[in-house]
Amino acid sequence: MRQASYALAAVQQALSLSRDPQRRVEAWPAVQSFLTATAIISKLLWPVRAEGADLKSRWRRFRADRLRTELMISDTSALRDRKVRDSADHFDERIDDLVRDQRIPQSWADLAEEEFTQQPAPFRAIDSDTGEVLAGHDRMALTPIVTELNAVLRRCETIEPGSTSDPDIVMLLATLRWPPLPSLFAPTERPDEPVTAGASIAATGPQSLEELITLVVDQLSEHPDSDRSPDAEG
């Protein structure tokens, strides 16, 4: 579900930037985020290296079948096609193909030969007018992908009602870290007084929480609170 939200947030940003002449060059990083997120979803639903008879391959097929069934995604879904993502991810190889296969003319006569063919150059772009992403020599229409992603989110919300598809909330939650566990020996609010103030701990220190508690209790019993008056009640 998070990947679907990431993809929708990224494509929205990419389309917005691509329509701004002053910021059009900034659109491709958002497109790459979109392609990456949709590829992750695609591989969850149609995993790679899942055709073998070994345990890992069988498990991948089982997982993918169950996910597609639960999310009601057909094998003809637009999410299955990863050609544009692969062309973007392996753009260097598309350039290698051009350099390797393109015949370099040595004269104007070579250019005039019927056999001479100029290979198309690979490129990457988002076309906001046609609603397509282009990478290498491949094209992908955005509308079918966005429709599928919205359907995935609606189905996820049905399965898990407490979830949210709001891209901003999902991205915020994804960046949150679990709070670190405080150390038993971390300083208190008083910077000059550790948590174990009043306890003499050996260089090796206690090996368990129970040992630490016992040690602190023993030390406190040996050094009662000097601020309490002799006749103060407990």
Side-chain angles (χ1 to χ4, degrees), residues 28 32 35 43 82-97 122 124 135-138:
W28 187 255
Q32 283 198 157
L35 293 175
K43 287 188 285 188
R82 298 195 286 265
K83 290 196 296 289
V84 169
R85 177 266 177 186
D86 291 343
S87 288
D89 195 42
H90 301 283
F91 196 73
D92 59 319
E93 297 176 12
R94 306 300 183 264
I95 297 175
D96 288 342
D97 294 341
R124 297 173 292 190
H137 306 297
D138 299 304

Side-chain angles (χ1 to χ4, degrees), residues 42-50 60-61 63-64 82:
S42 181
K43 287 188 285 188
L44 282 170
L45 299 169
W46 295 278
V48 296
R49 297 187 298 276
R60 292 188 185 108
R61 289 197 299 273
R63 172 253 293 170
R82 298 195 286 265

Side-chain angles (χ1 to χ4, degrees), residues 12 22 29 35 38 45 49 70 77 106 119 127 158 164 196 216:
Q12 180 182 16
Q22 303 299 322
L35 293 175
T38 53
L45 299 169
R49 297 187 298 276
E70 288 293 330
S77 169
Q106 303 299 316
Q119 302 289 339
D127 190 333
T158 301
T164 176
T196 53
V216 172

Side-chain angles (χ1 to χ4, degrees), residues 34-117:
F34 166 75
L35 293 175
T36 299
T38 53
I40 290 173
I41 296 172
S42 181
K43 287 188 285 188
L44 282 170
L45 299 169
W46 295 278
V48 296
R49 297 187 298 276
E51 304 304 322
D54 57 288
L55 180 60
K56 289 184 178 180
S57 297
R58 296 201 310 272
W59 174 254
R60 292 188 185 108
R61 289 197 299 273
F62 170 76
R63 172 253 293 170
D65 290 343
R66 287 300 302 271
L67 279 176
R68 293 198 304 273
T69 299
E70 288 293 330
L71 297 175
M72 296 185 292
I73 297 176
S74 70
D75 280 334
T76 60
S77 169
L79 292 171
R80 187 170 189 174
D81 189 352
R82 298 195 286 265
K83 290 196 296 289
V84 169
R85 177 266 177 186
D86 291 343
S87 288
D89 195 42
H90 301 283
F91 196 73
D92 59 319
E93 297 176 12
R94 306 300 183 264
I95 297 175
D96 288 342
D97 294 341
L98 174 65
V99 174
R100 182 188 63 247
D101 299 337
Q102 178 62 64
R103 174 188 167 192
I104 306 299
Q106 303 299 316
S107 66
W108 289 109
D110 291 344
L111 286 172
E113 291 180 2
E114 294 184 1
E115 296 81 10
F116 179 79
T117 302

Side-chain angles (χ1 to χ4, degrees), residues 22-34:
Q22 303 299 322
R23 304 188 64 188
R24 191 171 296 162
V25 295
E26 302 174 27
W28 187 255
V31 173
Q32 283 198 157
S33 297
F34 166 75

